[in-house]
Amino acid sequence: MSLVIVGSLAFDTIQTPDVRREKVVGGSCTYCSVAASFFTSPKIVGVVGEDFPDETIALFKKRKIDIEGLEFSKGKTFHWEGLYGHDPNQRKTVKLELNVFADFKPRLPLSYRESGIVFLANIHPELQEDIRIQFTNPEWVAMDTITHWIENNRAPLLDVLKKCRLFFCNDEEIKLLTAEPNLIKAGNRILEMGPSYVVIKKGEHGALMLGKDFAFGVLAHPCEDVVDPTGAGDSFAGGFLGYLDSVKNVDKKELRRAAVFGSVMASYAIEDFGIERFKSLTFSEIKKRFLEFREFVTF
Amino acid sequence: MSLVIVGSLAFDTIQTPDVRREKVVGGSCTYCSVAASFFTSPKIVGVVGEDFPDETIALFKKRKIDIEGLEFSKGKTFHWEGLYGHDPNQRKTVKLELNVFADFKPRLPLSYRESGIVFLANIHPELQEDIRIQFTNPEWVAMDTITHWIENNRAPLLDVLKKCRLFFCNDEEIKLLTAEPNLIKAGNRILEMGPSYVVIKKGEHGALMLGKDFAFGVLAHPCEDVVDPTGAGDSFAGGFLGYLDSVKNVDKKELRRAAVFGSVMASYAIEDFGIERFKSLTFSEIKKRFLEFREFVTF
C-alpha cells in the first residue's frame, strides 16, 4: 500500500536518573520511520534545519526511507529537552524550541498522495489535518498526539480524530481525552468518536488494542534496564504500521501481529539512546523477539 | 496433595467512589478458600467471632471447604474498613479492629499437618512462621503479605520469605520490599531472598510470574466495571493454588495455567461485593473465561 509518516525530526536533550545526553537525534518521524524501515520503505514528511546531521540522512537513505517529503530549511532543527524519573512512563518536558518547525507548512509530493497508509505522528492537530486532506483516499489514517494538544487544542484534535481509522495513545493521554479512568471504557469512548481501532500504549505494562467486538492485549518485553524511554511510542507505531504495510490482506490476525511487532520495536528502542539500537538491529533479532513475546504469554 | 489456607475471616466495610457497603463478609482466607474450592477441597485455618454468619459457614460446607482448623471464639470477628478511589489498585485502610484475631494462636489439626500445599495469606509474619513450622514437609509453601508488615515487621517477614517456595505480592509491595522500581529487577531480588517463584499482581495490568530462567505474563480480563476490588489478590491465590492442588505433576506449563486460573478467579471476584459473585459462579463459566484469556493474547 505504501506508508507515509508525518512528524518531527529533532534534537533531544535527555536526562534520565543516571545520565544526561545532549543533541541526540530524535523526533516522532525519525523513530517511526527507522522502525518501519525494517518492514517496508516508508516515505517521510517533516522539516530539518541546517544543523541536522548528514549521517542521519545517510542512514535514512541506507534504510530505503523516501525523503522526498523532507524539507531542508534555513535555521536550527526542532529541539526538545525532557526529564525522566525512576518511572520511565512519566516524563517532563523541560524545554521546547520549535525552530524550523514554527513555519512548517508542508505540500505533499505528488508521489505521496496515493499512499494507502498515513501516519500523522504527534504534531499540532491543525497541521495534521492540513496534511491529511492532501491525500487522495488512504485506506488507513492513523494518528498520535500528546497531552499538550489535548489540553490546549481539543477542538481541532477531535476533528482529526473523527477522520482517523486508528488512534495511538498512551494511558495518560486517553484518560485525559475521555475523562474515563477505566481504560476499557476510555477505549470504547474513542471508538464512538470516529476511529475503528484504538491502541493504548502502557509502557512497561504493554499495550491494549480495541475495536468493535475486538480486544487484543500484548505484554511488554520483560526488560531490566530501560536506557532511554524516548521514542518508544513512535517506534511502536513504526513497527505496527510498517508491518501492516508489508502484508497483503489486513485482517484481525494481522492487526494482532502488527501490535506485537510494534511492541518488539519499542522494546529495542529503549535499549539505547535515540535510534542507536536500530543501527545494529537485524531482522532476525526482530523475529527472535517476536517469538519471545509469544513464549512469554503462551499457556 | 491437599491445600491448607491460613488467613483472616472478616467483616469488611467498603467504600468505593459510588457505594458504601457495611459488614460484607471477607478476609484473605474467605476469598482464597472459596476461590480454591472450585478446583479442590481446601482446609482452612482462621478464627471468627460469635457474630460471624452461619450462612457463610454453611457456604463453606456446601463448597467442601474443610473447617476443622477454624476457631470459633468469644467476641467479635475481625473488622476492616477500606476506601477506594477511582483507581481500584490503590486503597486506604480507614479502620482495623483485630477483635478475636488479637489472641489467635492456632494449633493445626493433625489431619492438616501432612498437607502438600500451604498458603500463608496476609497475617502477621510471626504468626505465619508459627503456623508454617507445624507442617511436616509441605512441597509448596506460598505466602502473601501487605505493606504494613513490610514497613513495620521486616525482619520476621524476611525470615518467612526465606522458607517460602512461592511469593505472591503486588507491584506496590514488591517495590517497597526490594527498593527496586523496575518489576523485573525487583522480582529477581525476591528470587535471591529464598523463593523459587514470585507472582507480581498488577491489578488491571495483569500479573507477572518469575522464576529461575522462567517468565510468564498474564493480562487482566478487560473489565469495564470493577464493583469491588477487595479480595482480588486472595482470589487470585485461591485460583492459582486450588488449580495447582488439582494437577498430578506440577511443571512450568501447569504453573502458567495456574496463573491464568488465578486471574480468572480475580476477574470474577471484582464483579460484585465480597464473595457474592462466587455464590452463583459455575465451573463452566471459569473454563469459558480461561479460554477468553487465551483468545485475548493469542497472535
Side-chain angles (χ1 to χ4, degrees), chain B residues 157-186:
Chain B
L157 176 65
L158 293 181
D159 200 47
V160 207
L161 188 63
K162 205 185 295 175
K163 294 149 191 163
C164 273
R165 189 163 172 197
L166 169 58
F167 180 52
F168 290 100
C169 54
N170 68 28
D171 38 6
E172 187 190 2
E173 289 151 6
I174 198 170
K175 285 176 187 180
L176 188 66
L177 189 56
T178 62
E180 263 299 343
N182 178 290
L183 289 180
I184 310 297
K185 272 190 187 165

Side-chain angles (χ1 to χ4, degrees), chain B residues 276-293:
Chain B
E276 237 12 77
R277 183 62 183 93
F278 290 156
K279 290 183 186 168
S280 64
L281 189 66
T282 63
F283 197 68
S284 71
E285 286 177 304
I286 293 172
K287 279 192 292 187
K288 184 170 168 279
R289 190 157 288 179
F290 179 87
L291 296 176
E292 286 168 8
F293 268 82

Side-chain angles (χ1 to χ4, degrees), chain A residues 204-205 219, chain B residues 89 171 183 200-208:
Chain A
E204 63 167 330
H205 301 301
L219 275 157
Chain B
N89 299 345
D171 38 6
L183 289 180
I200 308 166
K201 297 165 287 177
K202 305 189 293 173
E204 63 168 330
H205 301 301
L208 194 62

Side-chain angles (χ1 to χ4, degrees), chain A residues 86 181-185 188 202 204-205 208 215-219 222-225 256 260 290 293-299, chain B residues 86 181-185 188 202 204-205 208 215-219 222-225 256 260 290 293-299:
Chain A
H86 279 287
N182 179 290
L183 289 179
I184 309 297
K185 274 190 188 167
N188 288 332
K202 304 189 294 173
E204 63 167 330
H205 301 301
L208 196 58
F216 176 60
V218 54
L219 275 157
C223 168
E224 284 205 24
D225 288 296
R256 286 165 179 260
V260 178
F290 179 87
F293 268 83
R294 180 175 285 156
E295 169 71 13
F296 185 44
V297 298
T298 297
F299 60 87
Chain B
H86 280 285
N182 178 290
L183 289 180
I184 310 297
K185 272 190 187 165
N188 288 332
K202 305 189 293 173
E204 63 168 330
H205 301 301
L208 194 62
F216 175 61
V218 54
L219 274 157
C223 167
E224 284 204 26
D225 289 295
R256 288 166 178 257
V260 178
F290 179 87
F293 268 82
R294 181 176 284 156
E295 170 70 13
F296 185 45
V297 298
T298 298
F299 60 88

Side-chain angles (χ1 to χ4, degrees), chain A residues 8-235:
Chain A
S8 62
L9 298 101
F11 285 122
D12 294 338
T13 297
I14 298 156
Q15 176 87 53
T16 73
D18 303 318
V19 186
R20 179 182 173 86
R21 283 287 180 97
E22 299 195 349
K23 285 194 89 170
V24 176
V25 172
S28 57
C29 184
T30 307
Y31 280 105
C32 185
S33 62
V34 176
S37 73
F38 286 89
F39 303 91
T40 189
S41 295
K43 302 170 194 292
I44 63 173
V45 177
V47 60
V48 294
E50 293 153 302
D51 52 356
F52 199 74
D54 294 340
E55 187 210 330
T56 309
I57 302 298
L59 175 73
F60 289 162
K61 288 181 180 163
K62 187 182 147 203
R63 298 218 52 86
K64 311 258 185 268
I65 296 170
D66 182 341
I67 62 165
E68 197 190 337
L70 182 62
E71 260 181 54
F72 294 84
S73 278
K74 286 228 157 106
K76 286 166 77 180
T77 299
F78 173 56
H79 183 190
W80 174 78
E81 183 171 340
L83 179 72
Y84 294 94
H86 279 287
D87 177 353
N89 298 345
Q90 297 195 322
R91 72 172 171 200
K92 211 177 123 182
T93 292
V94 176
K95 201 158 61 180
L96 208 138
E97 294 166 0
L98 286 179
N99 299 331
V100 294
F101 230 93
D103 302 308
F104 182 50
K105 286 269 173 236
R107 269 193 64 77
L108 277 191
L110 283 175
S111 64
Y112 280 37
R113 299 191 178 212
E114 310 272 320
S115 291
I117 307 179
V118 178
F119 180 49
L120 307 166
N122 159 43
I123 41 171
H124 194 299
E126 285 174 6
L127 194 52
Q128 289 180 317
E129 180 62 5
D130 285 351
I131 297 165
R132 187 193 67 77
I133 56 172
Q134 296 181 45
F135 288 93
T136 315
N137 190 23
E139 199 171 324
W140 288 86
V141 178
M143 72 175 281
D144 199 346
T145 194
I146 50 168
T147 55
H148 177 79
W149 312 120
I150 300 171
E151 282 166 341
N152 301 299
N153 303 73
R154 197 180 176 83
L157 175 66
L158 293 181
D159 200 48
V160 206
L161 188 64
K162 206 185 294 175
K163 294 146 191 169
C164 275
R165 188 161 172 200
L166 169 59
F167 181 53
F168 290 100
C169 54
N170 68 30
D171 38 5
E172 189 190 3
E173 289 151 5
I174 198 169
K175 286 177 187 180
L176 187 66
L177 188 56
T178 63
E180 262 300 343
N182 179 290
L183 289 179
I184 309 297
K185 274 190 188 167
N188 288 332
R189 281 287 298 121
I190 294 292
L191 299 180
E192 291 161 14
M193 294 176 181
S196 304
Y197 297 97
V198 55
V199 174
I200 308 166
K201 297 164 289 176
K202 304 189 294 173
E204 63 167 330
H205 301 301
L208 196 58
M209 177 164 46
L210 298 172
K212 199 170 141 50
D213 304 320
F214 175 69
F216 176 60
V218 54
L219 275 157
H221 190 251
C223 168
E224 284 205 24
D225 288 296
V226 178
V227 175
D228 173 17
T230 314
D234 300 310
S235 303

Side-chain angles (χ1 to χ4, degrees), chain B residues 22-215:
Chain B
E22 300 196 349
K23 285 195 90 170
V24 177
V25 172
S28 56
C29 183
T30 307
Y31 280 104
C32 185
S33 63
V34 177
S37 73
F38 287 88
F39 304 91
T40 188
S41 296
K43 302 170 193 291
I44 63 174
V45 178
V47 61
V48 294
E50 292 152 304
D51 52 357
F52 198 74
D54 293 340
E55 187 210 330
T56 308
I57 301 297
L59 175 74
F60 289 162
K61 287 181 181 163
K62 188 183 145 203
R63 298 218 52 86
K64 312 261 185 266
I65 295 170
D66 183 340
I67 61 165
E68 197 191 337
L70 182 63
E71 259 181 54
F72 295 84
S73 277
K74 285 231 156 100
K76 287 167 76 179
T77 298
F78 174 55
H79 183 191
W80 174 80
E81 182 171 342
L83 178 72
Y84 293 95
H86 280 285
D87 177 354
N89 299 345
Q90 297 195 323
R91 73 171 170 203
K92 210 176 125 184
T93 293
V94 177
K95 202 157 65 181
L96 209 139
E97 292 167 359
L98 285 179
N99 299 330
V100 293
F101 229 93
D103 302 309
F104 181 51
K105 288 268 173 238
R107 268 192 64 76
L108 277 189
L110 282 175
S111 63
Y112 280 35
R113 301 191 177 210
E114 310 272 320
S115 291
I117 307 180
V118 177
F119 179 50
L120 307 167
N122 160 41
I123 41 170
H124 194 299
E126 285 174 5
L127 194 51
Q128 288 180 317
E129 180 63 6
D130 284 350
I131 297 164
R132 188 194 65 79
I133 56 171
Q134 295 181 46
F135 288 92
T136 315
N137 190 21
E139 199 172 323
W140 288 87
V141 177
M143 73 176 279
D144 199 345
T145 193
I146 50 167
T147 54
H148 177 80
W149 311 121
I150 299 172
E151 281 165 341
N152 301 298
N153 303 74
R154 197 180 176 83
L157 176 65
L158 293 181
D159 200 47
V160 207
L161 188 63
K162 205 185 295 175
K163 294 149 191 163
C164 273
R165 189 163 172 197
L166 169 58
F167 180 52
F168 290 100
C169 54
N170 68 28
D171 38 6
E172 187 190 2
E173 289 151 6
I174 198 170
K175 285 176 187 180
L176 188 66
L177 189 56
T178 62
E180 263 299 343
N182 178 290
L183 289 180
I184 310 297
K185 272 190 187 165
N188 288 332
R189 281 286 299 119
I190 295 293
L191 300 180
E192 291 161 14
M193 293 176 179
S196 304
Y197 297 96
V198 55
V199 174
I200 308 166
K201 297 165 287 177
K202 305 189 293 173
E204 63 168 330
H205 301 301
L208 194 62
M209 176 164 47
L210 299 171
K212 200 170 139 49
D213 304 319
F214 175 70

